[in-house]
Amino acid sequence: MGKKLTPLMEQYWEIKSQHQDKILLFRMGDFFEIFYDDAVTAAPLLNIALTSRNKKSGDETPMCGMPHHSVAGPIGKLLAAGHKVAICDQIEDPKLAVGIVKRAVTRILSPGMVYDPDTLDQLSANYLCSYDEKTMSFLEASTGEAFYFRLRRKDDVTKLQAVLSPAEVVLSSQQKSTLLKEIGAAAKTITVHDFEQVPERFQRLPESAKRLVAYAQYMQGPEVLKTLSTFDERQLQKRMEMRPTVLRHLEVFKTYKGEDKGSLFYAINRTKTSAGARLLKSWLNFPLTDVELIVERQDRVQQWVEGLPKLKEVRQVLSGMGDIERRIGKIANPSCHVHDVLALAQALRAGLRVSGYCPGLERHQADTALGIVNDVERTLVDEPPVQTKNGGFVRADFRKDLQELIELSENSQKLLIDLEARERESTGISSLKIKYNNVFGYFLEVTNTHKDKVPDHYKRKQTLANAERYLTQELQELEDKILSSRSKRVEMEQNIFSDLRQKILAATVDLMDLARHWSELDVISSLAWLALEYNYTRPSFSKIQALQLDGSRHPVVEQEVSKPFVPNDIKLGAGECLLLTGPNMAGKSTIMRQVAVTVLLAQMGSYVPARSAVLPIYDQIFTRIGASDFLAEGLSTFMVEMQETAEILRDASENSLVVLDEIGRGTSTYDGMSLAQAILEFLVSECGCMTFFATHYHEITQLDRKYPQIKNAHMAIDESSAHAGQDISFLHTLKEGPANRSYGIQVAQLAGLPKKVTQRAARILTGLESFGVVPSNTDQMSLLDAGDGATYPEAEASPLLDEIREISLPQLTPLEALNQIAKWQKELS
């Protein structure tokens, strides 16, 4: 900015200096323009061209822009990317401006306070969040949802933040300086907002909730508060606790690849409304631990399962309701359009048709909704114009004075034609015409051929080359009536619309409550439809912490595979561990995951994919499945594995479900085996939790002799085809007892490794197994260097080998085992 700025750019920088942390959208005529660094940032995000302001004059100011009428989408993209946006509008009519048009910022937007709710992911909530020493609060401005939790432990903040994934975290100045490190990594956008006071009805809320109220009011004005529900306190102690890692390992909302398809939510979501889908997500995030509440949900699902004709009817009605919560939220939005109000009325009418199926719904709430529907339909036309600046959206018969203005404004052309005809007849000038332009308004135009016929009461207004333009008192009076009737009509319609919006806003508490009842009906009926579609069963709950699933299936896998899913019977008692061995691809991980997701479905009140199901009530689910590096944090796969396992061993109780898959594989064989055994021993002897433990370390299957809680099982293989390197066949059937081998080479062969490689591996394996232990370095090298026709040395009789064969590994502690190995090494040296 070395050279002198134009008046326009001076105005821009004066406004931009007050909003340095935001992308400024600067209104210029029919476009919103973005300049300088803002343009460099925004252009690639919006996939629009980055250009210069005026290349011909040497002005290389970077800029990009979009039409003002299609700004919602681009703003939504900027907010989704974590940016804040300031909208700078023209606040005076350009026609009346002297010099530069006056401009000012009319709206400030952030990821949690959006321009248009329609730009949001319709299946996900868009939370603001804040917290203090005792509470953590959440507010969804587009739906009015508001609630808070009381914090019980230090890590509750990070857990809730990870599970609910707020779009924006609002902190005080003091919090940002002291707590930024704790939340910075997980927060998408952090905003500092200090406040002094909130409206009276919010004054008894916790500090964290009041900060959100104050911030919402600051961003969008007092009207947004009219759509907020009362902040309700939600109980963590009546909810199953699940860490974000569990949601990730079980692929509850996203697959490991970050895709929706293939997730549990995608597989079970049969809701008909976006609000219902968001509620279903909430139920998945916070399964219940209170049996009475679970059974209450199950009873409602069962009613619909047993009433298919009514279920079909209700689902058809719900499909026409749309996103009623966000439609209510849009009424308080400054960008609210007539179409939004009509859409809300249509949604309310659909909802009222199914209100009889909503227990707890109060009669006066339904009456309020019906009153709003009638008011809207009586006030607004069925098909209003897209652009409402010229009116035309209020019914003509709504008010008598409006009807008179409408008749005058819409009949103006006929009045002008009648006046033109009368003037032609009275003057005898057949070519006389009444015309209009923006400078002179209406006028009479007479060609020079007939100007000698012009009456004396015509007042000359303008002389042209071939004609003269005149005014008459009657024409001026008619012009005043026409123009004033149009402006009065527009003003009156806008006032009527504003009154209608205020009436709706005054009823939002009842309307929001109704919307939540309808969303719950959507979820309940969708779970019933899912149960009928895939033959799910209603689970019962055991008081003795026993699990028995007959014909259990994985709800996602059975929808994804082309061939029939093989169901399995799974039985486990209190504190017991199912120790699974066998090859990859046989279905060990699927078995364990399907138990975990079955538990999750059951405790959210759903039917489950099984022939019959008896389950305990679990306080927590813990999982350690799969390998994922956190390289940016300097953490290896093995370090992450051990950290997650450490959390499980620390927090698992006798009422927890633990699922561990291939613990210890991220390090050397003996390290991994030792850790796997020690971890398993700790789980069964110290934690007492119900455990599913899959491993390739077949050696630890002998632990069942020492710990009767351990039940060995394996996934069946078609042994008839599993000899001499032949292809193997996975039966996906759970069998009692340990697997006798891992079939790793056969799996590699199925995966497409060259035959020469798998044959060579089979010969090496035979040689290694002939030693009984890993051979010495010299023997190992000669073995690995042996050719295809090589014969392998036979193991000589040795007291040391006999001692190794006879030692009872399950009886040794890891330290005793290491000491014994050190003794053998000393003897061999």
Side-chain angles (χ1 to χ4, degrees):
M1 296 193 303
K3 59 185 179 181
K4 183 176 175 59
L5 294 173
T6 64
L8 182 67
M9 285 294 99
E10 285 182 352
Q11 184 189 53
Y12 170 84
W13 279 111
E14 181 181 351
I15 296 170
K16 175 63 182 175
S17 65
Q18 300 170 38
H19 301 279
Q20 296 182 29
D21 62 334
K22 307 172 189 73
I23 291 178
L24 184 67
L25 272 61
F26 195 75
R27 180 73 178 266
M28 295 178 64
D30 290 333
F31 283 80
F32 275 108
E33 304 290 1
I34 307 174
F35 297 110
Y36 297 100
D37 290 345
D38 287 354
V40 175
T41 299
L45 292 174
L46 303 179
N47 196 26
I48 57 178
L50 180 67
T51 183
S52 298
R53 183 161 180 257
N54 194 341
K55 292 182 179 180
K56 292 182 180 179
S57 66
D59 186 349
E60 297 296 324
T61 300
M63 69 175 289
C64 60
M66 71 288 295
H68 75 95
H69 58 78
S70 59
V71 74
I75 289 176
K77 290 180 180 179
L78 293 174
L79 297 178
H83 296 284
K84 297 174 185 175
V85 174
I87 299 179
C88 179
D89 255 313
Q90 296 173 170
I91 58 172
E92 70 171 337
D93 188 339
K95 297 175 183 177
L96 306 176
V98 178
I100 298 295
V101 177
K102 291 180 182 177
R103 294 178 173 86
V105 170
T106 54
R107 290 188 69 184
I108 300 173
L109 307 166
S110 66
M113 300 295 293
V114 299
Y115 177 77
D116 184 354
D118 289 343
T119 62
L120 295 171
D121 176 1
Q122 298 303 299
L123 303 187
S124 299
N126 192 64
Y127 290 122
L128 285 166
C129 105
S130 184
Y131 62 95
D132 53 42
E133 292 182 356
K134 297 181 180 180
T135 65
M136 188 169 189
S137 296
F138 293 83
L139 185 155
E140 224 285 19
S142 70
T143 65
E145 183 185 14
F147 55 91
Y148 66 91
F149 296 97
R150 294 200 182 275
L151 303 175
R152 303 169 301 167
R153 297 196 297 263
K154 187 177 180 180
D155 59 353
D156 279 349
V157 168
T158 51
K159 286 179 184 176
L160 286 169
Q161 188 169 305
V163 170
L164 294 174
S165 189
E168 186 175 358
V169 179
V170 186
L171 303 176
S172 67
S173 302
Q174 183 179 2
Q175 282 180 317
K176 185 174 182 182
S177 62
T178 58
L179 300 174
L180 188 56
K181 288 183 179 179
E182 293 182 22
I183 64 156
K188 299 175 184 176
T189 302
I190 296 175
T191 297
V192 173
H193 185 74
D194 296 310
F195 68 97
E196 294 181 359
Q197 226 175 4
V198 294
E200 185 176 352
R201 76 181 179 103
F202 300 106
Q203 287 177 4
R204 294 186 179 181
L205 292 174
E207 190 77 3
S208 60
K210 287 194 284 190
R211 183 174 296 110
L212 294 182
V213 169
Y215 180 64
Q217 182 172 5
Y218 165 76
M219 293 291 285
Q220 292 192 355
E223 283 199 345
V224 72
L225 303 185
K226 295 178 181 178
T227 65
L228 295 188
S229 63
T230 303
F231 274 80
D232 63 293
E233 180 179 352
R234 297 192 178 173
Q235 302 293 331
L236 281 173
Q237 58 265 35
K238 291 186 179 181
R239 300 289 189 271
M240 179 198 290
E241 184 174 337
M242 290 192 299
R243 288 169 169 76
T245 53
V246 176
L247 298 174
R248 186 172 70 249
H249 289 159
L250 297 179
E251 299 181 292
V252 174
F253 298 114
K254 297 281 186 181
T255 66
Y256 279 127
K257 295 180 181 179
E259 298 172 348
D260 296 320
K261 191 175 187 298
S263 69
L264 176 64
F265 175 75
Y266 185 92
I268 70 168
N269 181 23
R270 298 295 184 274
T271 57
K272 289 294 187 179
T273 69
S274 302
R278 293 193 297 271
L279 182 60
L280 177 61
K281 278 190 174 182
S282 177
W283 285 13
L284 280 170
N285 266 323
F286 298 100
L288 302 169
T289 56
D290 187 316
V291 177
E292 289 186 7
L293 295 177
I294 297 172
V295 170
E296 183 183 321
R297 287 182 183 175
Q298 288 181 328
D299 288 343
R300 294 183 63 191
V301 174
Q302 184 172 343
Q303 287 177 354
W304 291 110
V305 169
E306 295 172 351
L308 182 58
K310 282 289 184 183
L311 176 61
K312 289 181 177 179
E313 180 184 328
V314 165
R315 284 173 59 78
Q316 185 175 3
V317 173
L318 289 170
S319 65
M321 190 159 65
D323 195 341
I324 191 166
E325 289 181 352
R326 284 191 169 151
R327 284 178 175 172
I328 294 172
K330 286 191 76 171
I331 304 303
N333 199 306
S335 62
C336 175
H337 191 277
V338 174
H339 288 96
D340 297 324
V341 174
L342 285 168
L344 173 60
Q346 181 183 3
L348 291 174
R349 187 168 285 287
L352 288 169
R353 290 176 59 190
V354 296
S355 292
Y357 303 113
C358 299
L361 189 149
E362 297 183 15
R363 179 66 190 177
H364 81 272
Q365 294 173 327
D367 290 342
T368 298
L370 182 59
I372 293 296
V373 171
N374 291 335
D375 284 343
V376 171
E377 293 178 348
R378 187 170 60 249
T379 304
L380 303 178
V381 298
D382 294 333
E383 297 182 7
V386 176
Q387 297 293 331
T388 59
K389 62 181 181 180
N390 293 321
F393 51 86
V394 176
R395 292 185 182 277
D397 59 355
F398 178 71
R399 274 175 39 181
K400 186 176 181 180
D401 51 352
L402 174 64
Q403 189 169 11
E404 292 174 354
L405 291 172
I406 290 174
E407 289 176 355
L408 183 58
S409 61
E410 291 185 351
N411 292 333
S412 60
Q413 192 61 34
K414 182 178 183 304
L415 295 174
L416 289 167
I417 291 172
D418 289 346
L419 176 60
E420 183 181 78
R422 288 198 303 273
E423 292 298 324
R424 284 180 179 178
E425 184 178 353
S426 65
T427 60
I429 304 173
S430 59
S431 61
L432 181 148
K433 293 180 180 179
I434 295 179
K435 294 184 177 181
Y436 177 87
N437 67 32
N438 290 331
V439 178
F440 297 112
Y442 289 101
F443 52 82
L444 296 150
E445 185 172 285
V446 178
T447 60
N448 288 339
T449 305
H450 300 286
K451 66 179 181 180
D452 57 331
K453 299 179 182 177
V454 172
D456 293 339
H457 66 275
Y458 278 30
K459 298 178 181 177
R460 184 179 286 108
K461 189 67 177 177
Q462 185 182 20
T463 300
L464 303 177
N466 299 315
E468 295 282 347
R469 289 176 173 173
Y470 301 91
L471 291 178
T472 66
Q473 185 174 351
E474 186 178 6
L475 181 58
Q476 283 183 299
E477 290 175 355
L478 181 58
E479 178 182 23
D480 291 342
K481 285 183 181 180
I482 292 172
L483 297 181
S484 66
S485 67
R486 288 178 181 172
S487 62
K488 286 178 180 178
R489 172 190 177 174
V490 170
E491 183 181 1
M492 188 176 292
E493 289 196 37
Q494 293 290 355
N495 289 337
I496 291 170
F497 182 63
S498 178
D499 291 342
L500 182 61
R501 281 184 62 209
Q502 291 304 317
K503 188 176 292 187
I504 297 171
L505 289 173
T508 52
V509 173
D510 283 339
L511 298 183
M512 284 292 189
D513 199 38
L514 276 173
R516 278 183 279 277
H517 277 94
W518 295 332
S519 297
E520 192 166 307
L521 174 64
D522 188 17
V523 175
I524 292 291
S525 60
S526 75
L527 293 177
W529 189 266
L530 176 72
L532 290 167
E533 185 179 2
Y534 284 98
N535 197 26
Y536 284 13
T537 190
R538 175 173 176 165
S540 58
F541 297 97
S542 166
K543 295 181 180 179
I544 58 172
Q545 290 298 103
L547 175 147
Q548 182 163 346
L549 296 172
D550 295 333
S552 171
R553 314 186 306 274
H554 195 296
V556 179
V557 178
E558 76 168 339
Q559 294 185 33
E560 295 289 325
V561 295
S562 56
K563 54 186 178 181
F565 185 90
V566 179
N568 277 288
D569 297 342
I570 306 163
K571 184 176 180 180
L572 216 56
E576 290 186 341
C577 168
L578 192 71
L579 181 55
L580 281 166
T581 48
N584 291 322
M585 300 285 294
K588 300 193 304 296
S589 292
T590 300
I591 281 283
M592 297 192 301
R593 290 182 196 221
Q594 76 190 44
V595 171
V597 297
T598 295
V599 167
L600 179 53
L601 289 173
Q603 289 191 218
M604 64 172 266
S606 172
Y607 279 33
V608 298
R611 191 168 57 252
S612 66
V614 179
L615 298 165
I617 292 292
Y618 296 99
D619 60 357
Q620 297 188 74
I621 295 178
F622 296 96
T623 60
R624 171 57 211 172
I625 301 171
S628 54
D629 284 339
F630 285 70
L631 298 180
E633 300 175 22
L635 300 178
S636 68
T637 298
F638 184 63
M639 175 60 81
V640 173
E641 179 182 334
M642 289 299 102
Q643 286 184 343
E644 292 183 3
T645 305
E647 288 184 358
I648 294 172
L649 299 184
R650 184 189 68 219
D651 295 338
S653 74
E654 61 182 10
N655 296 320
S656 300
L657 174 66
V658 174
V659 174
L660 294 176
D661 192 9
E662 305 297 352
I663 285 294
R665 66 181 175 179
T667 184
S668 68
T669 301
Y670 285 141
D671 277 355
M673 187 188 305
S674 300
L675 283 165
Q677 177 174 332
I679 289 166
L680 180 53
E681 289 176 343
F682 188 91
L683 285 168
V684 296
S685 63
E686 300 291 334
C687 298
C689 51
M690 192 177 288
T691 304
F692 287 79
F693 196 102
T695 185
H696 276 295
Y697 299 128
H698 291 221
E699 294 79 359
I700 66 176
T701 58
Q702 297 179 29
L703 285 175
D704 65 345
R705 301 172 188 174
K706 183 177 180 181
Y707 299 99
Q709 307 98 305
I710 295 177
K711 310 295 180 184
N712 277 303
H714 67 280
M715 304 307 295
I717 300 294
D718 184 358
E719 295 284 349
S720 65
S721 60
H723 301 290
Q726 296 295 316
D727 285 354
I728 58 176
S729 177
F730 301 118
L731 302 180
H732 303 291
T733 304
L734 186 67
K735 296 289 186 180
E736 291 184 1
N740 56 15
R741 57 191 298 198
S742 287
Y743 302 97
I745 294 173
Q746 287 83 355
V747 173
Q749 185 173 321
L750 285 175
L753 260 65
K755 191 173 183 179
K756 188 173 182 180
V757 172
T758 55
Q759 288 177 340
R760 172 67 171 149
R763 287 193 292 272
I764 293 172
L765 177 62
T766 301
L768 290 172
E769 290 177 341
S770 71
F771 279 88
V773 292
V774 177
S776 66
N777 289 340
T778 304
D779 288 338
Q780 193 175 31
M781 289 305 297
S782 63
L783 176 65
L784 296 178
D785 289 340
D788 287 346
T791 57
Y792 303 108
E794 293 184 4
E796 297 180 4
S798 164
L800 176 59
L801 290 178
D802 291 338
E803 185 180 353
I804 293 171
R805 289 191 186 99
E806 292 173 2
I807 195 168
S808 178
L809 288 176
Q811 302 298 325
L812 297 181
T813 67
L815 180 59
E816 289 171 339
L818 290 172
N819 288 334
Q820 185 63 53
I821 293 170
K823 173 177 172 289
W824 290 331
Q825 283 184 329
K826 187 175 181 181
E827 291 176 3
L828 289 171
S829 61

